[in-house]
Amino acid sequence: MSAASEKIRVLTGITTTGTPHLGNYVGAIKPAIEASQDPGVQSYYFLADLHALIKCQDPRRVQESRLEIAATWMALGLDTDNAIFYRQSDIPEIPELTWMLTCVCAKGLMNRAHAYKAAVAENEAAGNQDPDKGITMGLFGYPVLMAADILMFNANRVPVGRDQIQHIEMARDMAGRFNHLYKGQYFTLPEAVVDQKVEVLGGLDGRKMSKSYNNTIPLFVSEKKLQKLVRKIKTNSLEPGEPKDPDTCTLFQIYSAFATAEETAAMREEYVGGIGWGEAKNRVFEYLNDHLREPRERYQALLEDPGHIEQVLLKGAERARAEAAPLMDRLRQAAGLGRFV
Ligand code: TRP
């Protein structure tokens, strides 16, 4: 047994439909990169590009997003010798396992999935005759594909946002059914990890920073664009000299997500002391820009060398498949799909 097999296995996927922004960094990328440095952990991070097809059928956007997300994680310091970093679509065992799980998964379980229920509710609210209008089997079966992602590598822990907890519960359900039906311990039951400390960053308009609200600050925009976006962050009409409340201020929240405790405390003083919004925004811009400059340069260099990214991902897929293929063989045997001789 290799040492790696005794480590705790932490796995998470990133759906490749958007361009990474400051909120993604604070909420997901930074904690994941830090976790991957723990010698007691084997991490599996992958581009959930099969999931991307559910939401996005613009091939250029999917292709571009995959490259941008891979380059972002690498530029921010993911150690790809340590973490297993791969594209979901490079692992043919995943769709195969998806089918096996589909055949043990109750349809009723999928009827209760939040994303599907929300789509049905939208149709009903719009007065559509057919509650399933526009809903693909991809959306309906989304949690099965996600279960295959997780169970394929016997992940112990799955760091996710709150909205994904239900999917992990469903993966446990499918794992349990499969183990029971085919009388074996084929799958480990995964646990969702929702980090209470991890912040949900506010966006330009003060709502949660999210692609769907169109209020994001992309991580690696040019210096000029970054400055422009920071200036757009919504503040109130208090004049310079008037004390300001840091605790209800998105600008302050963004700053403190990046700054040290001391720097944050100093900025808090400035707020109480009545710093003007223009001045505060300049400081926040300067700070972010200083911290993003180096990774931004690495990011640009990576994008100019997609061949290197391709190689890293193929290497990751090779390591991932070295684990997936033997498990898939066992599963085939278990289900009666083994070889005759
Ligand atoms: N559904 C997840 C999201 O939208 C992405 C994802 C796909 C994932 N497969 C996964 C996350 C497996 C964790 C584990 O955020």
Side-chain angles (χ1 to χ4, degrees), residues 11-15 46 48 51 55 142 146 149-150 158 160 164:
L11 174 145
T12 200
I14 315 109
T15 307
F46 65 95
H51 276 104
K55 288 192 228 165
Y142 177 115
M146 186 159 158
D149 291 333
I150 298 168
V158 186
V160 282
Q164 299 288 319

